[in-house]
Amino acid sequence: MPKKLDWIVSGWALLAGVLTLLIVLATTINTAAFGADKIARLFGANVAGLAGYEDFVRLTISAVALMFFPYCQRRKGHVAVDLFADHFSVQIQQILEKIILVLTILLALFLAYWMSLGMISAYQDFASSPILGWPNWPFYIPGILSLVLWALVAAMQLREKRTSE
């Protein structure tokens, strides 16, 4: 695996982690505001939650959800079913792994294609979040890039399999 690709994939996962922490922070603040509001109502006051919290979380999660996939593929941390494959010969296991890598590449590119069409549709429809009014289409970009990176990592792993034989 090229070091530059490994660096990009690791940085991408780190960015996803930072965004996940922002989601947790926003959720914590909003939950604390909800609790504080319950107490404040006893005294005739109120405490508002974060305006647009749902919009922020929904849009950010839509970006973050796929950002971990390339890193997971790089580290081979994906779900693997080894219960029955362990009983096969090494040659059959290698063939199965190649088939799975090819299918992973095809799946990731297929999803990237359809996500691109979804992004174009969201852009053309001027789709936006209901509270904050943020346009939805830019939040497709991290997902599309993640799917392309995922396919690229799987392709590099497939290439490594071929060159190591």
Side-chain angles (χ1 to χ4, degrees):
M1 177 82 51
K3 280 204 179 272
K4 189 170 188 175
L5 179 60
D6 194 34
W7 183 82
I8 290 169
V9 167
S10 296
W12 196 244
L14 184 61
L15 177 59
V18 169
L19 291 173
T20 301
L21 285 175
L22 288 176
I23 292 168
V24 169
L25 179 64
T27 301
T28 302
I29 291 170
N30 208 48
T31 303
F34 178 75
D37 186 51
K38 291 287 187 188
I39 295 169
R41 286 182 186 214
L42 296 172
F43 301 102
N46 66 355
V47 176
L50 296 174
Y53 160 76
E54 294 88 357
D55 287 356
F56 168 75
V57 170
R58 180 182 61 84
L59 292 171
T60 308
I61 283 178
S62 71
V64 169
L66 294 172
M67 291 176 73
F68 291 109
F69 278 43
Y71 182 82
C72 190
Q73 180 70 41
R74 172 66 184 112
R75 301 291 182 243
K76 296 185 180 184
H78 48 76
V79 176
V81 180
D82 291 330
L83 296 175
F84 70 94
D86 284 342
H87 300 292
F88 296 147
S89 68
V90 174
Q91 285 180 326
I92 292 177
Q93 288 180 18
Q94 289 173 343
I95 291 169
L96 280 175
E97 189 170 358
K98 287 178 187 176
I99 291 170
I100 290 169
L101 285 171
V102 168
L103 290 174
T104 299
I105 294 165
L106 293 174
L107 173 68
L109 293 176
F110 174 79
L111 292 173
Y113 169 75
W114 284 105
M115 246 182 123
S116 297
L117 293 181
M119 180 183 70
I120 291 167
S121 177
Y123 176 79
Q124 290 173 339
D125 293 343
F126 301 103
S128 61
S129 62
I131 308 285
L132 297 174
W134 292 353
N136 289 345
W137 71 267
F139 291 89
Y140 283 76
I141 294 171
I144 294 167
L145 290 174
S146 297
L147 291 168
V148 171
L149 273 173
W150 184 23
L152 188 58
V153 169
M156 290 295 115
Q157 289 174 336
L158 184 62
R159 193 176 118 218
E160 287 172 358
K161 290 281 179 212
R162 287 188 176 163
T163 58
S164 67
E165 294 175 356

